[in-house]
Amino acid sequence: MPLAIFALAIGAFGIGTTEFVIMGLLPEIAGDYGVTIPAAGLLVTGYALGVVVGAPVMTALGTRVGRKQILMLLMGLFVAGNLISALAPTFGVMLTGRIVASLAHGAFFGIGSVVAADLVAPDKKAGAIATMFTGLTVANIVGVPLGTFIGQAIGWRATFGIVAALGVAGLIGIAKLVPDLPRPESARLGREFAALGNVQVVLAMAMTVLGFGGVFAAITYIAPMMTQVTGFADGSVTWLLVLFGIGMFLGNLLGGRFADSKLMPMLYASLGGLAVVLALFTITAHDKTLAAVTILLVGALGFATVPPLQKRVLDQAHGAPTLASAVNIGAFNLGNALAAWLGGIVIGAGFGYTAPNWVGALLAAAALGLAVLSAALERRDTGHAPAAASRPRALQH
């Protein structure tokens, strides 16, 4: 893999840390600001909705400049947002900082996916995307647990200050290692928006919303679930997040390995398995060993969907993949926002901290249904099995 892809992974590491570390720090942040846990969950929802809005807006800006330049701008915005969060005197300012940081998220991963795919051969594209996303998964093994530990030990503000420093490191890496790619001649905003009208692109994005939303339904409230239901000590949340990160890392490798040759079967297996595991989590959450294993599986099955879904969007958005790729990242976070909101509703209604697992199971099952529908429509339209599931197809940029 070109060094440029590893530079993108550095930025992904910083973004992944700030996105997921909030889950382990919700009780501390809620306590400091005097708000409830479901109210503090708005920090997850707000971030996710910021990604949804920021993805098309920042990508539209990116069609007017080179891809390297927009990636550097996005990392600068990310740094600013985390500094605001670190210094926020009120919950409202904290939420504002989260939203500012989130505006960079979707466009960074969307444009970064296109850059990574352009730098390798056609049959290596999913692997290149998975390599970039490795930064996100490693963040959940190293960055998130370490950030949670620091937040619990010396204060959550220190965590967000460190995350801002990670953003600076990502900015330097992009400046030094990513080639100064010219703006593609095909990068026309009208063409990019037209690609979003492809029914297969829409279905892939809907799968993204529902599938990864299933993961966030459970993981958003993992700290109170594990401490108040399973019986873990507060300090155990750190290593439980390590398990989740390891699962994400393994799932990302698995998804990247098979997305170039067996894309749809990979989606069927991961989404179906995720629905089952999340449903079982309502039971396994009452046993420490089973809960730990379940958290690992949720991370693995959830993130096994990321490379194939991202590649499917790139495959279907012929000749104009940048906006579609970024909007699909926004779709991940729309699912996160939806799941965090629904999870807060069922908790607030008195169903307990395991109730969001049922919400997640239903969302994942719905995503599986859309995957089956997508494949059936493609067989009807082409007269044979889905191209992305049978052999790699070169992208046109």
Side-chain angles (χ1 to χ4, degrees), residues 54-65 107 111 189 193 323:
V57 172
M58 300 306 295
T59 303
L61 174 62
T63 62
R64 300 179 179 275
V65 298
I111 295 171
L189 196 55
F193 273 106
L323 182 60

Side-chain angles (χ1 to χ4, degrees), residues 126-141:
I129 295 170
T131 299
M132 185 192 74
F133 275 94
T134 296
L136 179 62
T137 60
V138 171
N140 282 273
I141 300 174

